[in-house]
Amino acid sequence: MKKDNLKDQYRINERIRVREVRLAGDDVEPGVYSTSEALRIAQDQGLDLVEISPNAAPPVCRVTDFQKFLYQQKKRQKEQKAKSVKVVVKEIRFGPQTDDHDYNFKLKHAKSFLEEGAKVKAYVFFKGRSILFKEQGEVLLLRFANDLEDYGKVEQLPVLEGKQMIIMLSPKKIGANAPAPTKPQVKKVITKPKPAEPTSEEKKEDE
């Protein structure tokens, strides 16, 4: 049988063995009471004496319905768990002289990661003497961030850490992880002016 860990976190009623407690509750005069007196007050109301802050001096107890108290605690824990979002970080590695084909392939992956709500850690790895190309690596990462501006925002600008230059991107939260709308492209249409109609005098000359 599974043990109720939350229930075991709290001492109630006769399990509270300290001499005095600080009492709290809806229909209770707050203050310090002997434990026996606090237990009598709880029993008179048909409720439980629940120790909610055992490390306080004296410990804090509440007069309440223990089952209702546990339900509220479980509900609060569930809400907090739902609010806590697990952050996923996807890594993308470049070389200092990455060609366009490889770059576009990794750019496509980065777009999908950001659309899924994951962060992207892109880095250029410098091996041996390639550290001489660190400026080239920085340019590549800035280009990468610029190409992803509709999908993610820069959380950390390129920074050199050992043999790696790193940039961090976090997703833009627009709708259901949809990319930001891009500006519509306006095509310029150039029309050639029509030739002027010949005058009556020009027509006579032609004849």
Side-chain angles (χ1 to χ4, degrees):
M1 188 174 179
K2 190 176 179 180
K3 199 174 182 180
D4 192 337
N5 293 326
L6 183 61
K7 184 177 179 180
D8 292 338
Q9 287 178 16
Y10 299 96
R11 289 185 295 184
I12 65 170
N13 301 327
E14 288 79 6
R15 290 175 57 199
I16 302 171
R17 302 300 178 92
V18 294
R19 188 178 66 178
E20 59 182 18
V21 296
R22 185 175 297 278
L23 204 56
D26 294 334
D27 298 316
V28 172
E29 183 69 30
V32 176
Y33 295 79
S34 66
T35 303
S36 58
E37 177 67 9
L39 185 58
R40 185 191 63 77
I41 293 171
Q43 290 172 342
D44 287 348
Q45 296 186 27
L47 298 172
D48 300 296
L49 185 65
V50 182
E51 187 181 58
I52 57 175
S53 296
N55 296 325
V60 179
C61 292
R62 186 173 184 84
V63 174
T64 186
D65 182 324
F66 187 50
Q67 294 304 318
K68 185 178 179 181
F69 173 80
L70 285 178
Y71 171 78
Q72 290 173 339
Q73 293 298 105
K74 288 177 181 178
K75 185 179 179 182
R76 189 176 293 111
Q77 286 183 356
K78 191 175 180 180
E79 288 173 352
Q80 289 175 347
K81 188 177 180 180
K83 288 179 181 178
S84 62
V85 180
K86 186 178 179 181
V87 179
V88 178
V89 179
K90 300 285 189 176
E91 293 190 356
I92 292 181
R93 172 176 166 167
F94 292 102
Q97 295 176 314
T98 300
D99 60 40
D100 287 342
H101 175 75
D102 190 33
Y103 175 85
N104 290 327
F105 177 77
K106 291 177 178 178
L107 181 68
K108 183 179 178 181
H109 277 283
K111 286 178 181 178
S112 65
F113 293 151
L114 291 167
E115 285 179 324
E116 291 167 5
K119 289 187 177 183
V120 172
K121 175 186 177 182
Y123 64 95
V124 180
F125 182 76
F126 300 101
K127 187 177 180 180
R129 293 176 61 84
S130 66
I131 193 69
L132 298 172
F133 298 100
K134 63 181 181 181
E135 290 183 2
Q136 191 171 332
E138 183 177 8
V139 170
L140 186 148
L141 291 177
L142 291 174
R143 173 193 170 192
F144 186 68
N146 186 63
D147 289 343
L148 291 169
E149 64 179 353
D150 288 343
Y151 300 83
K153 55 186 177 181
V154 177
E155 192 174 280
Q156 175 189 294
L157 287 169
V159 60
L160 188 64
E161 295 182 3
K163 294 183 178 181
Q164 297 180 1
M165 182 169 283
I166 301 167
I167 193 170
M168 286 291 296
L169 301 170
S170 57
K172 283 186 175 179
K173 295 180 181 179
I174 300 177
N177 291 328
T182 56
K183 293 181 180 179
Q185 294 181 349
V186 180
K187 293 183 178 180
K188 292 184 179 180
V189 179
I190 301 173
T191 56
K192 294 181 179 181
K194 292 182 179 180
E197 289 287 336
T199 62
S200 57
E201 292 180 358
E202 288 173 337
K203 286 180 179 180
K204 287 179 181 179
E205 290 177 0
D206 292 339
E207 293 175 353

